[in-house]
Amino acid sequence: MADITLVIAGRSYSIAAREGEEAHLRNLEALIARHAETAHQASGGINSERMLVYLALILADLLDEAERNPSSGVSPVLLDRIADRLEAVAAALEEDAQDG
């Protein structure tokens, strides 16, 4: 296992990753970053927990859209993997929020 630090919405999170998964996690970090400002604005900038809820809703909406429109050529297996990884990131973020 390797440790990787992801920066999400201005906060750093140390995540344990399997060897070779670092690049994939960086890609997920970039995906989240593309939507973080929209989530921040939607939450009214009140607090990071609320912003993360909005961010999760935005990403879940994208996933739902992809699942409902499989003509995009995205594999359902790939979407399941993405959902699993998003759940893992969300769990890590929740744990960090409870600790801090």
Side-chain angles (χ1 to χ4, degrees):
M1 285 278 183
D3 284 334
I4 184 170
T5 300
L6 302 178
V7 178
I8 297 173
R11 293 183 63 186
S12 297
Y13 300 92
S14 181
I15 305 291
R18 285 182 249 156
E19 292 297 325
E21 291 291 317
E22 294 90 348
H24 180 68
L25 286 170
R26 290 286 176 214
N27 288 335
L28 292 177
E29 178 185 37
L31 173 69
I32 292 168
R34 286 196 302 267
H35 299 285
E37 181 58 32
T38 301
H40 180 73
Q41 291 174 357
S43 72
I46 295 170
N47 64 41
S48 60
E49 183 176 318
R50 184 176 175 91
M51 196 254 345
L52 289 172
V53 169
Y54 277 94
L55 184 55
L57 288 170
I58 291 168
L59 295 174
D61 185 51
L62 292 172
L63 180 61
D64 179 62
E65 179 69 24
E67 287 177 342
R68 288 187 292 119
N69 296 308
S71 62
S72 66
V74 177
S75 162
V77 173
L78 176 60
L79 292 174
D80 285 341
R81 288 182 59 205
I82 292 169
D84 290 343
R85 290 182 180 185
L86 284 172
E87 288 174 8
V89 169
L93 291 174
E94 285 177 14
E95 182 178 311
D96 188 66
Q98 291 173 357
D99 293 340

